[in-house]
Amino acid sequence: MDIDYLKLKEKYNTPLYVYDKSVINDKIHKLKDNFKSNLYKTEIIYASKAFSVKEMLRVIMDKGLSLDTVSIGEIYTAINVGFDLNKIYFHGNNKSYDDLVFALNNNVGTIVVDNYMELLLLDEVAKSLNKVQKIMIRLNLGIEAHTHKYIVTSHVDSKFGVLYNSDDYKNMINFINNSNNIKLIGFHSHIGSQIFELDAYKAEIEKLIRISKEFSYPLELNLGGGFGAFYTNEDKPIPLDEVAKFLVKTTDEVLNKENAKIAKLLIEPGRSIVAEAGTTLYTIGVIKKTPNKEYYFIDGGMTDNIRPALYQAKYDAFIVGKENDERSHTVTIAGKCCESGDLIIEDYKLPPATSGDLLVTKTTGAYGYAMSSNYNKALTPAVVFVDEDNDYLVVKRQSLKELIEREI
Ligand code: LLP
């Protein structure tokens, strides 16, 4: 969809997160239409950590997806929009007693248990509240997907999950067999993020199905998320319809080969649903030349997009109204933080700019706004959704008053 960024700047000012709702809908439909099997049920869970604001959760709810949460803050946001709590999965490697009480009191459907200590704590909480809690166990299958090293989660020393067949694993299964308050419905695994190779998922499916055969009843298997998005030409993401078809086909084949049955197959994408729907609109201020560089300074930076500083993530950008001009300048787009690493794109070709031009960075919809901060006391930007010709505010820009309202 063509977005009128000049109009959005007039109306909402910059820096501004802009989400194209048609892209979100399209991604969801590509998954929904193809993640289906005759052999078992299927379920798509949106990983809300990628972008969890009320309007986004409403979209997810309208489309009938479930929700992955990792904190009571994310659960609280879901409760606030009236999300069906039964469709919520609660993750996390260090859930506290209070977290678990909050989740169980609010009837969160499934707790994804990360470790043995958590299982004991959960049993205690469930017993005291007189509940039987459905759980999945998060397994570390030791599969390392090919991706950026900071976001790989499944190597053997990962902080996430329990290693299959370790003593902790065996103790957990024994404990569950003797517990009246915990019901194991299946296993979860997440093998990384921004993955372009489907082979790793095949290995994951094979391992999970073999493990599930050790149980006398059909289990649910959650493959996690991690499907890649397109940021720059270096990225070759596989279209989501193909990803969904591959996962189902591979699962069907392995089930046949292993003569096994499962109750349900689940996936948990975050980035692949929202990343490409989001752009960030900035105003260029100062243009500075140094002996070897030309800088375009923008009115945001690492406080609204930490990913370049944290992961050396790459982005594409354009200047509004100069889309077809020759990209004759090699420039560095830098933010306004008091920090040399506050660069959004380094040594990048753009047309000559003048102060006041609008710059748009693309594919900022996942882990952008979600990871924003108030470093240097920057104000968190506003967020708008664009739906056909209609644009509407979904998060107000933070005000100076709000910035210090919790300070005493
Ligand atoms: N499920 C679990 C258990 C996860 O840990 C994650 C992401 C997802 C699902 C969703 O993964 P996705 O489909 O979005 O790749 N901040 C980093 C990404 C961290 C991902 C953490 N876990 C970034 O900006 O690249």
Side-chain angles (χ1 to χ4, degrees):
M1 188 199 305
D2 278 342
I3 295 178
D4 187 345
Y5 287 104
L6 281 170
K7 183 177 117 193
L8 295 179
K9 150 90 182 176
E10 286 290 300
K11 215 165 153 182
Y12 305 103
N13 212 347
T14 57
L16 183 71
Y17 266 98
V18 181
Y19 282 80
D20 181 341
K21 208 169 155 186
S22 69
V23 176
I24 300 174
N25 289 341
D26 178 60
K27 299 288 179 189
I28 293 176
H29 283 288
K30 284 212 163 64
L31 287 172
K32 271 184 82 163
D33 296 346
N34 296 287
F35 194 62
K36 287 180 189 160
S37 167
N38 298 324
L39 303 180
Y40 43 82
K41 291 184 191 158
T42 54
E43 186 171 327
I44 302 167
I45 306 167
Y46 170 63
S48 69
K49 73 202 80 180
F51 177 54
S52 165
V53 306
K54 284 161 64 175
E55 181 63 6
M56 182 63 205
L57 301 196
R58 284 186 204 109
V59 172
I60 292 300
M61 196 161 65
D62 287 350
K63 297 286 173 195
L65 268 53
S66 302
L67 204 67
D68 155 8
T69 59
V70 290
S71 67
I72 61 171
E74 287 183 354
I75 299 173
Y76 181 78
T77 313
I79 293 172
N80 206 281
V81 295
F83 213 97
D84 178 355
L85 273 294
N86 197 34
K87 293 173 82 169
I88 293 191
Y89 292 77
F90 186 25
H91 278 272
N93 60 303
N94 187 25
K95 301 180 193 81
S96 68
Y97 179 84
D98 289 350
D99 290 342
L100 292 171
V101 169
F102 182 90
L104 268 62
N105 271 336
N106 283 295
N107 300 318
V108 162
T110 310
I111 308 280
V112 185
V113 174
D114 179 272
N115 55 68
Y116 188 28
M117 268 180 81
E118 179 188 335
L119 183 68
L120 303 183
L121 190 62
L122 176 63
D123 186 67
E124 199 184 307
V125 173
K127 211 175 274 166
S128 71
L129 297 176
N130 209 9
K131 297 208 173 211
V132 178
Q133 180 60 50
K134 281 191 295 176
I135 69 156
M136 286 195 160
I137 295 179
R138 177 162 182 173
L139 286 179
N140 179 350
L141 300 172
I143 297 167
E144 245 186 273
H146 176 72
T147 179
H148 195 289
K149 70 178 163 63
Y150 294 131
I151 48 183
V152 162
T153 52
S154 210
H155 53 85
V156 289
D157 291 314
S158 164
K159 74 168 191 169
F160 298 111
V162 58
L163 270 179
Y164 169 65
N165 240 353
S166 60
D167 286 349
D168 273 2
Y169 172 82
K170 289 176 195 157
N171 289 336
M172 286 170 87
I173 301 299
N174 281 338
F175 186 89
I176 292 164
N177 287 337
N178 294 311
S179 165
N180 296 321
N181 299 90
I182 287 186
K183 185 166 178 258
L184 178 71
I185 60 163
F187 289 106
H188 169 278
S189 152
H190 174 75
I191 58 171
S193 203
Q194 186 65 348
I195 298 171
F196 301 134
E197 306 283 330
L198 292 178
D199 284 0
Y201 289 103
K202 182 163 187 251
E204 183 190 19
I205 290 167
E206 284 170 348
K207 277 203 172 181
L208 284 174
I209 288 178
R210 283 189 201 124
I211 293 165
S212 74
K213 276 176 72 175
E214 292 163 16
F215 292 78
S216 58
Y217 55 100
L219 293 182
E220 303 189 6
L221 301 181
N222 183 337
L223 305 176
F227 320 133
F230 182 87
Y231 289 84
T232 70
N233 283 332
E234 287 174 19
D235 302 319
K236 306 272 177 277
I238 301 158
L240 286 183
D241 46 349
E242 285 177 37
V243 173
K245 279 184 198 148
F246 174 89
L247 297 177
V248 168
K249 185 167 163 274
T250 307
T251 304
D252 290 359
E253 282 168 8
V254 179
L255 287 173
N256 275 331
K257 202 168 121 219
E258 295 281 336
N259 197 16
K261 271 204 175 88
I262 58 168
K264 200 188 267 184
L265 189 70
L266 306 94
I267 47 173
E268 213 166 51
R271 185 194 313 272
S272 53
I273 291 180
V274 280
E276 292 168 23
T279 47
T280 315
L281 182 62
Y282 299 107
T283 304
I284 296 175
V286 169
I287 295 168
K288 183 189 270 188
K289 286 197 175 136
T290 59
N292 302 301
K293 270 189 184 298
E294 180 173 4
Y295 285 103
Y296 291 176
F297 292 157
I298 51 168
D299 55 352
M302 67 191 294
T303 46
D304 54 77
N305 186 0
I306 189 78
R307 298 190 74 257
L310 199 56
Y311 312 121
Q312 295 78 51
K314 303 266 185 297
Y315 286 89
D316 270 334
F318 62 89
I319 296 174
V320 177
K322 297 184 175 172
E323 290 86 344
N324 299 321
D325 292 8
E326 195 195 336
R327 292 182 174 234
S328 54
H329 286 221
T330 301
V331 301
T332 290
I333 300 163
K336 58 190 293 176
C337 278
C338 210
E339 178 105 12
S340 315
D342 178 21
L343 309 174
I344 294 293
I345 314 182
E346 231 184 323
D347 299 331
Y348 184 67
K349 292 266 186 206
L350 276 177
T354 30
S355 185
D357 277 355
L358 294 182
L359 181 106
V360 175
T361 47
K362 292 159 79 169
T363 322
T364 57
Y367 307 108
Y369 182 79
M371 294 177 83
S372 63
S373 78
N374 286 131
Y375 181 47
N376 285 187
K377 289 232 153 140
L379 301 173
T380 314
V383 183
V384 297
F385 271 31
V386 181
D387 188 12
E388 292 170 8
D389 284 338
N390 181 27
D391 54 79
Y392 57 101
L393 194 62
V394 305
V395 185
K396 289 184 206 157
R397 184 177 307 286
Q398 194 177 28
S399 67
L400 287 170
K401 188 166 170 262
E402 285 160 347
L403 188 65
I404 55 164
E405 74 187 348
R406 285 173 297 111
E407 296 179 18
I408 294 154

